[in-house]
Amino acid sequence: MSERWTRSRAAGAGAVASAALLIAGGLLGRPDVAVLGAAPLVAAAWDLWRRPSGELTVRVTGWSAGADGDGSEADGDGAGPDAQAGDGASRAGASGDGASDPRAARTGAVRARVLLDAPPGMTAALVGVRRAGRDAAELLVRVDRTRSLPVVVRTVRTGPQEVATVDAQGIGAGAASIGEPTDPVQRTALVLPSPSALRDLPLPPRLRGLTGAHTSRRPGEGGDLRDVHMFAPGDRLRRIDWRVTARRAPDLRELYVRREHALAEAVVLLVVDSRDDVGPDPRTWRGAEGPRAQDPTSLDLGRHAAASLAQRYLAVGDRVGLDDLGARRRPLPPGGGRRQLDRIRHALAVTRPEGEPPKRLRPPQIPSGALVVVFSTFLDDEASRVAGQWRRGGHRVIAVDVLPEVRERHLDDRERLALRIVRLAREDRLAGLADLDVEVVSWRDDPAVTLAGLARRGRRRPGAGVPA
């Protein structure tokens, strides 16, 4: 539709007052009064003649999403202040520090450019940025035919989401005329989970392959010292230990070689339960209303936890795969390298609840000897049942509890009683997993320390972390 420009209220009131002074001066024979009204009236006529006639267009381009300090910003002229829209707050500036606590999802930054194309005669624009139906930022900027404005939206949520809605209203020269607001331009972005640094992680009971970063019990090369043995066919001459040979066989009738353990890799399968996406407020668990935009949900924490573990395992050369309990789609097979981490982060970002989840008759198939890590809220029996079947099948299973810290101060008595029943049932499920030797880790407490403890526990058990 064509842009319609109207006279502003201030300009219209000034024109009426000038005309009244001009008429009054003519009727009363007061040229001084008429002169006072003539000049503003001529200026109003001039502003009416040079009123813009085109339409203002708004475009949003260059979306990029990532953690603070990781995202890239689209190219532009960079003029003007940044319009920063946060969850529940508005402020100027584009800098900020991401959260370093691995227990919470890191703050993500989505960067874009708002491009304004103004018609001739337009000098300024009032730009509004809204998020989740709330006014986040509003600023008045000068426009000389075109203007590019950087926008930074900070969010603790991950996955596909509506990021911002932008509209603008043009202002003519001298603010004498204003245009109708443009149609809102809405854009969505896929916010990838940002991993946090973790320390030692647990390993599966058996290692695989002939290369890797972990020492196995098989003889080979590259690992720790296995033993000193007599030279046999197949041993390399550079493995001869001359000191031991000189001590045990001074006449050199026998040679002794140093044998080492071979290196191997671990296979880890990350299993995300996307059936639940609940926030800290129990009143939103029924699904009638969603959690607040400033509250990370259980699925946000699950994505963040899975990405953190994937980054650490892949960094040491292990192979990592991904599966989803809430959807019947082809799992991401185990792989290694930086590209595998990118695949896992993207697969985690698009993981979301998809209606009524299908009933699984048996747990998903996993590679032999793999470590299984299940990320779930354990609000029902499905995730704990599948984890128990994997553990009874001989796999080492770690259950990561990603339920957010529940806020209950605003609940009434009936809601508190319902929450207590849910908590008791959930604690029974976690206790049942512990009885099956499934190791439970809460992402709310201190996952880095807990996971490091599980890694030390695995090394203390005879044969753990190495093949039999």
Side-chain angles (χ1 to χ4, degrees), residues 22 37 41 95 106 151 220 245 331 342 346 384 409 427 436 459:
L22 184 61
L41 191 61
S95 61
R106 293 179 59 187
V151 177
T245 300
D342 295 338
H346 185 272
S384 58
R409 291 182 297 178
E427 291 173 358
L436 293 174
R459 287 195 292 266

Side-chain angles (χ1 to χ4, degrees), residues 11-340:
V16 171
S18 300
L21 287 175
L22 184 61
I23 294 174
L27 294 177
L28 298 177
R30 295 286 305 274
D32 53 342
V33 177
V35 170
L36 290 177
L41 191 61
V42 172
W46 172 252
D47 291 335
L48 181 62
W49 180 79
R50 61 175 183 169
R51 180 176 59 181
S53 58
E55 69 175 281
L56 171 65
T57 59
V58 179
R59 293 177 296 134
V60 183
T61 61
W63 287 91
S64 64
D68 285 343
D70 297 336
S72 60
E73 189 170 328
D75 293 337
D77 58 14
D82 292 353
Q84 178 164 340
D87 292 324
S90 302
R91 54 181 178 172
S95 61
D97 297 329
S100 58
D101 190 352
R103 293 172 289 179
R106 293 179 59 187
T107 303
V110 182
R111 294 172 171 83
R113 287 282 177 177
V114 177
L115 303 179
L116 303 177
D117 294 328
M122 177 179 154
T123 59
L126 183 64
V127 182
V129 180
R130 296 191 303 275
R131 174 172 168 80
R134 305 188 309 270
D135 290 337
E138 190 176 52
L139 65 157
L140 181 66
V141 296
R142 181 178 178 85
V143 180
D144 186 9
R145 297 303 299 271
T146 60
R147 183 67 184 269
S148 175
L149 300 173
V151 177
V152 180
V153 179
R154 306 202 181 277
T155 177
V156 297
R157 307 291 291 274
T158 55
Q161 55 185 284
E162 182 265 322
V163 177
T165 302
V166 182
D167 57 13
Q169 186 175 20
I171 301 175
S177 57
I178 57 176
E180 289 187 352
T182 62
D183 294 333
V185 179
Q186 186 181 64
R187 288 293 182 270
T188 59
L190 184 64
V191 181
L192 302 180
S194 301
S196 297
L198 296 175
R199 291 178 286 180
D200 296 337
L201 295 180
L203 296 176
R206 290 184 298 168
L207 299 177
R208 304 176 60 179
L210 300 177
T211 60
H214 312 292
T215 302
S216 67
R217 296 183 63 181
R218 301 190 313 270
E221 295 184 4
D224 297 333
L225 177 65
R226 175 183 174 90
D227 58 12
V228 178
H229 196 267
M230 291 180 58
F231 185 87
D235 292 336
R236 298 184 179 182
L237 295 178
R238 64 185 180 88
R239 294 291 181 187
I240 298 177
D241 191 329
W242 294 106
R243 292 186 179 181
V244 176
T245 300
R247 185 170 60 252
R248 295 186 178 182
D251 54 358
L252 299 181
R253 292 182 178 180
E254 298 175 346
L255 299 178
Y256 291 86
V257 296
R258 297 171 59 90
R259 298 194 302 182
E260 299 175 344
H261 291 285
L263 295 178
E265 63 184 4
V267 178
V268 182
L269 183 65
L270 308 177
V271 182
V272 179
D273 185 5
S274 65
R275 298 173 302 118
D276 293 329
D277 191 13
V278 298
D281 189 357
R283 294 182 300 182
T284 63
W285 292 2
R286 294 173 293 183
E289 58 177 332
R292 299 186 305 174
Q294 58 267 37
D295 292 333
T297 64
S298 61
L299 194 52
D300 295 325
L301 297 181
R303 295 187 185 112
H304 171 66
S308 301
L309 266 67
Q311 182 188 50
R312 179 55 182 168
Y313 279 116
L314 292 173
V316 296
D318 295 328
R319 300 171 59 215
V320 182
L322 179 66
D323 202 351
D324 185 3
L325 282 181
R328 288 186 177 178
R329 63 169 61 96
R330 185 178 180 180
L332 186 64
R338 176 67 185 181
R339 292 183 63 85
Q340 182 71 0

Side-chain angles (χ1 to χ4, degrees), residues 236-461:
R236 298 184 179 182
L237 295 178
R238 64 185 180 88
R239 294 291 181 187
I240 298 177
D241 191 329
W242 294 106
R243 292 186 179 181
V244 176
T245 300
R247 185 170 60 252
R248 295 186 178 182
D251 54 358
L252 299 181
R253 292 182 178 180
E254 298 175 346
L255 299 178
Y256 291 86
V257 296
R258 297 171 59 90
R259 298 194 302 182
E260 299 175 344
H261 291 285
L263 295 178
E265 63 184 4
V267 178
V268 182
L269 183 65
L270 308 177
V271 182
V272 179
D273 185 5
S274 65
R275 298 173 302 118
D276 293 329
D277 191 13
V278 298
D281 189 357
R283 294 182 300 182
T284 63
W285 292 2
R286 294 173 293 183
E289 58 177 332
R292 299 186 305 174
Q294 58 267 37
D295 292 333
T297 64
S298 61
L299 194 52
D300 295 325
L301 297 181
R303 295 187 185 112
H304 171 66
S308 301
L309 266 67
Q311 182 188 50
R312 179 55 182 168
Y313 279 116
L314 292 173
V316 296
D318 295 328
R319 300 171 59 215
V320 182
L322 179 66
D323 202 351
D324 185 3
L325 282 181
R328 288 186 177 178
R329 63 169 61 96
R330 185 178 180 180
L332 186 64
R338 176 67 185 181
R339 292 183 63 85
Q340 182 71 0
L341 178 59
D342 295 338
R343 296 188 192 100
I344 291 176
R345 291 181 63 194
H346 185 272
L348 289 171
V350 300
T351 299
R352 59 185 178 86
E354 299 179 358
E356 186 66 22
K359 182 67 175 179
R360 289 184 179 269
L361 299 180
R362 61 191 179 106
Q365 298 295 317
I366 60 177
S368 176
L371 170 67
V372 185
V373 186
V374 182
F375 305 88
S376 177
T377 59
F378 300 99
L379 292 175
D380 57 13
D381 297 329
E382 183 65 17
S384 58
R385 179 184 67 84
V386 173
Q389 292 184 17
W390 277 325
R391 184 66 191 98
R392 285 188 288 268
H395 297 279
R396 185 179 186 183
V397 182
I398 298 177
V400 179
D401 178 16
V402 294
L403 184 67
E405 190 70 32
V406 178
R407 292 194 298 262
E408 54 180 310
R409 291 182 297 178
H410 59 285
L411 303 180
D412 55 28
D413 294 338
R414 292 183 57 187
E415 293 169 339
R416 290 178 185 272
L417 178 60
L419 178 60
R420 183 180 180 186
I421 295 175
V422 171
R423 277 179 169 171
L424 290 175
R426 184 171 169 274
E427 291 173 358
D428 289 342
R429 296 186 191 97
L430 296 178
L433 290 177
D435 293 339
L436 293 174
D437 199 22
V438 175
E439 297 148 315
V440 180
V441 177
S442 175
W443 202 255
R444 298 183 306 273
D445 300 333
D446 200 343
V449 175
T450 306
L451 291 172
L454 294 181
R456 293 191 295 270
R457 172 191 172 189
R459 287 195 292 266
R460 286 197 301 266
R461 292 185 298 178

